[in-house]
Amino acid sequence: MNIVFLGPPGAGKGTQAKILIERYGIPQISTGDMLREHRAKGTELGKKAQEYMDKGQLVPDEIILGMVKERLSQADCEKGFILDGFPRTVAQAEALDKLLLDMGKKLDFALALIVPDDLLVERLTGRRTCKNCGMMYHIKYKPSKVEGKCDVCGGELYQRPDDNEETVRNRLKVYHEQTAPLIEYYRNKGILREIDGSKSIEEITQQIISILEGKA
Ligand code: AMP
C-alpha cells in the first residue's frame, strides 16, 4: 500500500502516519524528520537545509528528491510506504510519479487532512516532541504525564524551532501557495480522499482505516 499524506503543517500527518506504521507494517517517510536528522548529525545536507527550515521556506528540490529516491529504494519500502511532508509542490509530485514509474510502482491513496488555519497555529505552537523517540505531545490536547518528559521513554520533550508563531504563519503561507495545489493534482488522478482533520486523533484514524480497507 503506497500512501501520500497531504495537508498543512500541524494537520496530524505525522501523528496518523505513526499509528498506521504499527497497523500495516510499512514505514513512514517524513522528509522533515530526515532533514532534522541530518541537521542533528551536522551533515553537509543538514547544513544546506538549515537556513530554509528556520525561515519556514521549502528546501530546494535537488536536496529533497535525492534523499527521497534513496529512501524509497530501501528494502523496507517493498510492501509499501507512507509519505509525510513530501511531495510539497507540483514539481515534486511529478518527480515522484516518474520515480515510482521507474521502480514499477504507483501511489494507491492521497489522503488529505483538512484543517482550518487558526486551529493549525494553536496545534503547532503547542506541539512538543520527544528528543529521543519522536513521540509527539500537545501542551493542551495531549499533555505528557510529567511535564517535559516523554511518557513512552522518559526522553526530554522539546519545541521544534520552526513551531514559533511567526515561522508557523510563514509555513502556512507556503503551504497555501505551493502545496495546496496538490489536492487538485491528486483529485485529477482519482486517488484523492479528503478527511476532516479537525476531529480527534482516534476519529481520524478510524476514518483513514475505513478508507484504506475499502469500507468508506
Ligand atoms: P515538516 O516536518 O514536514 O513540517 O518540515 C519541516 C521543514 O522541512 C519545512 O518547513 C521545510 O523547510 C522542510 N521540508 C520538509 N519536507 C520538505 C519537502 N518535501 N520539500 C521542501 N522542503 C521540505
Side-chain angles (χ1 to χ4, degrees), residues 111-153:
L111 304 176
L113 294 172
I114 311 294
V115 184
D117 276 11
D118 287 348
L119 183 55
L120 293 169
V121 173
E122 196 195 11
R123 281 189 184 174
L124 287 165
T125 53
R127 175 161 79 173
R128 300 291 182 271
T129 310
C130 174
K131 260 190 182 156
N132 185 40
C133 73
M135 187 72 184
M136 287 189 285
Y137 297 87
H138 189 279
I139 51 171
K140 184 165 153 197
Y141 299 115
K142 194 188 165 199
S144 57
K145 291 195 183 91
V146 179
E147 202 188 319
K149 288 235 175 299
C150 177
D151 294 349
V152 179
C153 72

Side-chain angles (χ1 to χ4, degrees), residues 9 30-33 35-36 52-53 56-59 64 84-88 92 127 160 162 171:
S30 157
T31 42
D33 285 350
L35 293 169
R36 280 183 288 279
Y52 299 96
M53 294 174 80
Q57 293 169 354
L58 294 185
V59 172
I64 300 289
D84 157 17
F86 175 89
R88 257 182 157 91
Q92 287 185 5
R127 175 161 79 173
R160 274 173 46 173
D162 57 349
R171 287 162 65 202

